[in-house]
Amino acid sequence: MNAITLDTSTSRLAEHKAQIQPQRRVVPARYPARTFGTVVAAGTLLMIAASVLGNPKWGWPVFAQWFFAEPVIVSLGQTLLLTALGTLFGSLLGTTIALARVSGSPLLAWLAWGYVWLFRSIPLIVLLLLLNNLGYLYATISLGVPLTDFRFGSWSTAALISPFVAAVIGLTLNQAAFSSEIIRGGILGVDNGQREAAAALGLPRRRQIFGIVLPQAMRSILPAGFNEIINLAKGTSVVYILALPELFYTVQVIYRRNLEVVPLLMVATVWYLIILTVLSVIQRRIERRFSRGVAGSQGAGSFVRSARISLRRIDSSASITRMPVRGHTLVRGDTGSFHRPVKGGTVVIEGAVKRFGDLEVLKGVSLTIPSGSVTVIIGQSGSGKSTLLRTINHLEPLNAGLISIDGKLIGYREDANILHELKEAEVLRRRVDVGMVFQSFNLFPHMTVLENIVEAPVHVRGRPRAEAEADARVLLTRVGLSDKVDAYPRQLSGGQQQRVAIARALALRPKVLLFDEPTSALDPELVGEVLGVIRELASSGTTLIIVTHEMGFAREVADTVVFMDQGRIVERGTPEQVFSRPVHPRTAEFLSKVL
Ligand SMILES: Nc1ncnc2c1ncn2[C@@H]1O[C@H](COP(=O)(O)OP(=O)(O)OP(=O)(O)O)[C@@H](O)[C@H]1O
């Protein structure tokens, strides 16, 4: 009993000691130079404010009298209207010119280049004066068929091109020349893999440009583009030479009458400051909108929230089972869709020849790949494996030979032994039978995982979004990523991104699925999870063609192993034959190096 009493009193003593011990204090680090700088800056600001407000020559009462005066407000409206119209028409024309420049048509690219060269060279003031004097050059403007007398109509130039119209046209032409280069820079900045992935999914050209490329390009277009708009807002003052009552012109008229130069210049300055502040706020908002999927953006925050919600939904679902697959977990819902059978396609390659300039990369490759089989292509770097894969879905057109899927050509229509090259839209439509998974994933970074997967079913197959989303969730479950529905690609590991890319390719239910070194961009510990998914797919009925350097995986999963060397297939057979009893000396030499 005594011992217990002693123990209790000892612990009380320790508690008491802890209570009377002084609390630790944190002293923030001191930065004397920073403090000094802040004091100097504050002092300078105070001095400027005192001098501006205290010096009667600034004429603040006159400023206050004119700031909201009717002529000033009306001319401000004119400035805003010119800025808005110049921005709108200039951006539309600039986008058209930028797209023409990258269109691949030499004539369009040349015309676009000429436009930019001309209108960037002509000073705006000269352009405005020329447009204002167009009536001197052409008394009337007619619209008709060239080299004939047929006319739709004829109008007096002076009546048609008022100073306001001349100002809008001049500002538009000038703005388009500069903004087209900014837009072109943004488009060129988007990784080529994005265009390839969109094309491989069969997305229509319009959707490729406006859904995939331009939204990504906007991130680099916006800061420079807003600089141009701000320059335009200030640059509208140059239209004073057309005697247009915009803000600066009106202020000049007033101070010439009342001689209060400084206060009226301040009226214009403060209004310009307000316009630019509003534009800056708009810029921030638009930039935030286009920063979806970028690390640290608002999109990221909303991802974390929604990912948590998705996780909770999954954890509370009793119908989900987890299946271990070498190094990761595949999650299967009770839809039973894990092995949903798909009708595979038979791929026939006949004498495929592909050249890049003088380099012949494929030298008459012939190969038949049966429906539902798994073919693994191996070979040395540069032997033409990826090129062969890319010719199957016509990402690379052949120079000679043919490739068909279930007897159907992707890039051509055969008519009495004549091959007619198909238009791009038709090629894109036919390409949906062939899914492709790229080495560097090529997920669309501005879209969530779910949006990436439903993109092609909605825009290529025309399926209702809700239906496509329901299927996408099943596919994500199938690749073990049902908790990443609302994540952006940047928020996933490489292995997870590649699994999403596989789900995206599967969403079109392709007959043939091409894998171009699907694991070579992954850390070794992430390779297993992607191979696990492909292994599961091997029994799904889809024809799989895989280019890989993973020899162990090739041996395990392939029905047929194809060995390529210098643009030719030199050996093919079962994994057992090729890996254990290679016939060709090049195969034996290659395997002795890699195994
Ligand atoms: N667009 C292209 N323009 C010019 N040459 C190209 C192009 N694409 C590929 N090549 C060339 O074709 C050859 C075969 O390239 P390919 O990518 O098909 O080889 P690979 O066997 O897949 O190599 P790796 O295993 O290193 O990916 C290489 O010499 C490559 O430089």
Side-chain angles (χ1 to χ4, degrees):
M1 188 71 184
N2 274 350
I4 291 168
T5 312
L6 193 66
D7 270 352
T8 315
S9 60
T10 312
S11 69
R12 281 217 189 104
L13 192 67
E15 260 175 43
H16 180 67
K17 262 188 179 172
Q19 275 169 8
I20 58 169
Q21 251 180 14
Q23 292 233 327
R24 287 194 176 83
R25 210 160 57 88
V26 177
V27 180
R30 292 187 197 286
Y31 298 94
R34 193 190 291 174
T35 313
F36 178 73
T38 310
V39 171
V40 170
T44 312
L45 280 178
L46 262 176
M47 270 160 52
I48 293 171
S51 107
V52 169
L53 296 174
N55 183 351
K57 287 185 183 164
W58 283 97
W60 294 113
V62 181
F63 169 89
Q65 179 196 340
W66 284 104
F67 192 67
F68 289 112
E70 196 189 332
V72 171
I73 297 297
V74 170
S75 65
L76 174 69
Q78 186 91 312
T79 295
L80 291 176
L81 187 62
L82 283 173
T83 306
L85 293 177
T87 302
L88 178 69
F89 297 137
S91 304
L92 288 177
L93 185 60
T95 308
T96 311
I97 292 165
L99 291 177
R101 191 84 193 272
V102 298
S103 67
S105 153
L107 178 66
L108 283 181
W110 187 85
L111 283 174
W113 179 87
Y115 177 94
V116 172
W117 167 78
L118 184 66
F119 286 101
R120 277 201 309 192
S121 313
I122 302 178
L124 179 55
I125 201 159
V126 176
L127 182 61
L128 290 171
L129 286 172
L130 276 175
L131 285 165
N132 206 33
N133 289 296
L134 208 60
Y136 168 74
L137 292 172
Y138 302 98
T140 55
I141 293 176
S142 307
L143 202 64
V145 180
L147 307 177
T148 68
D149 291 335
F150 182 77
R151 298 278 178 272
F152 295 109
S154 216
W155 303 270
S156 149
T157 307
L160 206 61
I161 302 192
S162 64
F164 181 78
V165 173
V168 172
I169 296 176
L171 292 172
T172 298
L173 294 176
N174 185 67
Q175 187 74 0
F178 287 93
S179 61
S180 76
E181 283 301 273
I182 295 170
I183 294 165
R184 188 170 72 92
I187 292 173
L188 293 181
V190 176
D191 185 59
N192 201 38
Q194 292 292 306
R195 269 167 274 228
E196 283 207 327
L201 286 171
L203 290 179
R205 188 111 174 110
R206 265 177 69 87
R207 184 67 194 164
Q208 288 185 27
I209 295 171
F210 293 102
I212 306 299
V213 175
L214 277 181
Q216 293 183 56
M218 286 305 270
R219 285 220 320 275
S220 53
I221 290 173
L222 280 171
F226 262 90
N227 258 353
E228 279 305 309
I229 297 173
I230 286 169
N231 275 338
L232 176 67
K234 291 190 293 178
T236 51
S237 57
V238 81
V239 303
Y240 78 94
I241 48 136
L242 307 182
L244 259 187
E246 56 72 57
L247 184 58
F248 182 59
Y249 179 85
T250 305
V251 158
Q252 273 181 312
V253 170
I254 299 170
Y255 72 61
R256 278 192 194 129
R257 246 189 285 134
N258 67 6
L259 301 180
E260 296 280 6
V261 179
V262 172
L264 279 150
L265 283 179
M266 288 314 293
V267 167
T269 307
V270 173
W271 274 121
Y272 281 125
L273 277 175
I274 292 171
I275 295 172
L276 299 200
T277 309
V278 172
L279 279 174
S280 303
V281 172
I282 296 173
Q283 177 181 355
R284 265 179 74 103
R285 283 177 175 262
I286 299 182
E287 275 185 8
R288 207 176 296 164
R289 196 182 130 70
F290 280 99
S291 66
R292 291 181 79 211
V294 178
S297 71
Q298 213 184 29
S302 64
F303 150 68
V304 175
R305 271 194 306 281
S306 45
R308 275 196 210 123
I309 293 165
S310 306
L311 265 172
R312 246 179 271 136
R313 225 181 277 146
I314 286 159
D315 287 346
S316 62
S317 165
S319 62
I320 300 289
T321 56
R322 288 186 159 76
M323 300 172 47
V325 174
R326 214 195 254 181
H328 79 123
T329 304
L330 284 180
V331 184
R332 172 160 50 150
D334 61 359
T335 56
S337 62
F338 199 81
H339 289 290
R340 191 162 51 155
V342 177
K343 165 103 184 59
T346 301
V347 181
V348 178
I349 304 171
E350 296 172 57
V353 174
K354 176 70 194 174
R355 288 183 214 99
F356 291 112
D358 294 336
L359 181 68
E360 196 167 63
V361 178
L362 298 180
K363 299 169 180 163
V365 174
S366 293
L367 181 68
T368 298
I369 298 168
S371 161
S373 64
V374 180
T375 301
V376 175
I377 305 174
I378 59 171
Q380 252 185 351
S381 184
S383 55
K385 306 180 298 292
S386 298
T387 305
L388 178 63
L389 206 67
R390 291 159 60 82
T391 56
I392 294 174
N393 65 350
H394 203 69
L395 271 185
E396 295 289 359
L398 287 176
N399 294 103
L402 278 184
I403 298 181
S404 65
I405 289 159
D406 285 343
K408 205 165 147 189
L409 307 176
I410 290 194
Y412 305 93
R413 178 173 55 83
E414 196 172 9
D415 195 3
N417 271 344
I418 299 174
L419 289 181
H420 300 272
E421 197 173 9
L422 293 175
K423 287 197 175 139
E424 192 187 346
E426 183 57 27
V427 175
L428 289 168
R429 260 194 297 278
R430 292 190 175 198
R431 204 175 263 156
V432 296
D433 281 343
V434 191
M436 185 157 190
V437 176
F438 296 86
Q439 179 178 357
S440 47
F441 332 133
N442 294 348
L443 293 177
F444 306 132
H446 59 302
M447 294 182 182
T448 63
V449 164
L450 193 71
E451 288 166 346
N452 262 280
I453 297 175
V454 302
E455 178 67 16
V458 169
H459 293 280
V460 178
R461 294 253 197 243
R463 297 188 61 200
R465 181 166 280 272
E467 207 179 291
E469 284 189 0
D471 274 9
R473 286 174 198 275
V474 173
L475 278 170
L476 281 172
T477 304
R478 199 172 160 189
V479 296
L481 289 173
S482 48
D483 56 337
K484 300 292 185 193
V485 170
D486 298 310
Y488 284 94
R490 272 174 197 244
Q491 295 159 331
L492 303 179
S493 72
Q496 289 170 333
Q497 288 191 50
Q498 194 58 299
R499 284 190 274 153
V500 174
I502 294 172
R504 183 175 69 173
L506 285 172
L508 283 170
R509 293 182 61 91
K511 294 177 176 178
V512 179
L513 199 47
L514 311 174
F515 289 89
D516 190 3
E517 301 185 30
T519 55
S520 58
L522 300 178
D523 289 340
E525 71 262 33
L526 299 177
V527 168
E529 61 185 64
V530 172
L531 294 186
V533 170
I534 301 175
R535 196 177 291 119
E536 292 296 323
L537 279 176
S539 55
S540 69
T542 313
T543 309
L544 303 188
I545 308 175
I546 306 164
V547 169
T548 186
H549 292 286
E550 300 284 337
M551 295 302 144
F553 172 72
R555 187 173 199 144
E556 179 196 337
V557 84
D559 297 316
T560 306
V561 175
V562 172
F563 175 71
M564 282 189 75
D565 187 45
Q566 297 184 17
R568 289 198 176 84
I569 294 177
V570 296
E571 183 157 0
R572 69 167 174 266
T574 62
E576 175 61 17
Q577 282 166 352
V578 175
F579 285 106
S580 307
R581 299 184 301 280
V583 178
H584 201 282
R586 283 292 299 131
T587 320
E589 187 192 337
F590 172 76
L591 291 175
S592 69
K593 281 186 199 153
V594 298
L595 286 179

